[in-house]
Structure formats: structure tokens, C-alpha cells
Amino acid sequence: QKEVEQNSGPLSVPEGAIASLNCTYSDRGSQSFFWYRQYSGKSPELIMSIYSNGDKEDGRFTAQLNKASQYVSLLIRDSQPSDSATYLCAVNMKETDKLIFGTGTRLQVFP
Amino acid sequence: GAVVSQHPSRVICKSGTSVKIECRSLDFQATTMFWYRQFPKKSLMLMATSNEGSKATYEQGVEKDKFLINHASLTLSTLTVTSAHPEDSSFYICSARVRGTDTQYFGPGTRLTVL
């Protein structure tokens, strides 16, 4: 089982819709979770971090964490074509104190 | 947010030469920096963890004599690819962790092409 799993996509949504990106992780002891956005040919850019169960909102982005289910998600409201990118889920593994990345989900927002 | 710079952004070199990449945290102190490599359409692969004032910790399968890492200060880490070969061509990205947190901020990356 991979440590951090994401559906590779592409996930295609129309402009203005809600995009829902999902991620599961294997290390039950993990405490820190991150979403990064990566445009083609660029480096990852931090969007959100989440540490507690529940929702965390920042502008159009909402991160959701469910530690019991070992599940993290990212919702993007009012999706824009400029949101088209690969979204990386990252989990800080407690034992190693290193970030483990999923393979990323490619999001396409079409006008 | 925290800003991390990386230099150069792109380098083309001949096989057998060495290339140095610099990673700087511009507005914060980073006791720990990380070096990643990313191949096209693949996820990030951690190469090594760099701690200020101590030797880097390399991931399994990464040759420490080939990828030399120096973390000379709280704001600077360097990666030197020695005797580069075409298979070393990749996108190298550093990140820096804000002291006291586990949040990593990434530099813009260095695209290395070895001819």
C-alpha cells in the first residue's frame, strides 16, 4: 500500500463548479497534512495546511481532514481555468518527520 | 508567506562536469532544508535532508558522493551534482522548513540538462 494515495485524474470540471480532490494516507500517527498546487514546469506552491479533524477554509479553498478514516480532501469553490494544475497531497510522517507526497491529481477547469 | 529562492533556474552542462545549485530562504531562518528531484509527470522524490551545521541525511539509493550537500548557514543550502551524466537530467527542487514548524516552502526549482 502506498503511503499517500491520490487519483491521478484528470479531473475535469466546468468553470464555476466545485472541484473535489481526495487523498488517503497509511500512517495513522500522522499529524500534519498539506495541499500543494503545481503548475506544469513549476515547483509546488503551498495552498493549505490542516492539523485537526474537520474543515479549514481559506478563500475559495476548503481542506477537510478525517483522521479516523485517514482521509484528506480539498474543495475548490467557483473553479477558474487558472486553477488548472496538479494538486499534491502531502503528509508529514510522524516517525521520519518527512513529507510524503502523493502522485498528484491533475485538475482541468474548462470555460 | 515564506520565500525560498533557487539559483540557477536552468542549467545546461556537458557530461562529466559538476553543477552547483543554491537554495536560500529569503525572509526566514531554515534549520532544515530538503532537496527533491522530479522527473516528467512523476511526483517529487526526496533526495536528502540538509541540516544547518551538520551532515546531510540521504535517502536510500541516493549517492552521497555524487550529490554533495552543504548547509552552511541558516539561510543557505547548496547541492552539487558531481560528474554529471545525462541520466542526472531532471528538475531539482529545494524546500525550506520554517523553524519550529513542519511546513515546507519550495524554491522555484532548477532544470538541469546534461548533454
Side-chain angles (χ1 to χ4, degrees):
Chain A
Q1 182 189 5
K2 291 182 182 177
E3 293 174 294
V4 179
E5 291 204 55
Q6 294 180 257
N7 188 315
S8 60
L11 172 66
S12 293
V13 300
E15 184 174 357
I18 296 175
S20 177
L21 305 160
N22 305 313
C23 170
T24 58
Y25 60 95
S26 60
D27 181 8
R28 190 170 282 279
S30 295
Q31 300 292 323
S32 309
F33 307 87
F34 305 87
W35 283 99
Y36 288 86
R37 176 175 62 198
Q38 187 174 25
Y39 291 110
S40 181
K42 304 294 184 182
S43 69
E45 171 192 8
L46 180 67
I47 297 177
M48 291 193 71
S49 59
I50 186 166
Y51 302 92
S52 305
N53 279 328
D55 295 0
K56 180 181 178 182
E57 187 174 318
D58 184 0
R60 295 188 295 113
F61 300 99
T62 298
Q64 299 174 318
L65 174 61
N66 184 324
K67 290 184 181 179
S69 301
Q70 295 174 240
Y71 176 90
V72 194
S73 65
L74 179 71
L75 301 178
I76 306 175
R77 288 182 300 281
D78 189 23
S79 295
Q80 301 296 309
S82 58
D83 294 326
S84 299
T86 296
Y87 289 80
L88 301 170
C89 171
V91 178
N92 200 62
M93 295 294 175
K94 187 178 181 181
E95 276 193 21
T96 62
D97 197 24
K98 294 174 187 172
L99 274 187
I100 303 297
F101 286 86
T103 52
T105 298
R106 190 156 64 94
L107 173 67
Q108 295 176 335
V109 181
F110 56 91
Chain B
V3 180
V4 178
S5 71
Q6 211 172 319
H7 179 80
S9 59
R10 187 179 294 268
V11 60
I12 300 173
C13 69
K14 292 182 179 179
S15 186
T17 60
S18 294
V19 174
K20 180 187 276 190
I21 303 169
E22 289 189 352
C23 177
R24 293 181 186 271
S25 56
L26 297 186
D27 53 0
F28 66 99
Q29 292 185 335
T31 51
T32 305
M33 291 184 171
F34 302 86
W35 287 95
Y36 295 83
R37 181 164 58 179
Q38 188 175 35
F39 292 106
K41 299 192 186 301
K42 300 293 184 182
S43 191
L44 293 162
M45 186 190 81
L46 179 64
M47 298 175 66
T49 302
S50 168
N51 291 297
E52 187 266 336
S54 63
K55 288 185 179 180
T57 304
Y58 291 82
E59 295 301 298
Q60 193 172 10
V62 178
E63 300 175 58
K64 63 179 181 180
D65 294 330
K66 179 167 186 62
F67 298 100
L68 301 178
I69 292 171
N70 182 270
H71 196 148
S73 73
L74 287 172
T75 60
L76 173 63
S77 176
T78 60
L79 167 68
T80 301
V81 183
T82 62
S83 186
H85 287 94
E87 58 265 30
D88 298 324
S89 299
S90 188
F91 191 38
Y92 291 87
I93 314 172
C94 74
S95 72
R97 189 158 67 188
V98 178
R99 183 191 290 207
T101 77
D102 55 11
T103 303
Q104 290 185 30
Y105 294 91
F106 284 86
T110 297
R111 194 162 300 282
L112 171 64
T113 302
V114 184
L115 302 177

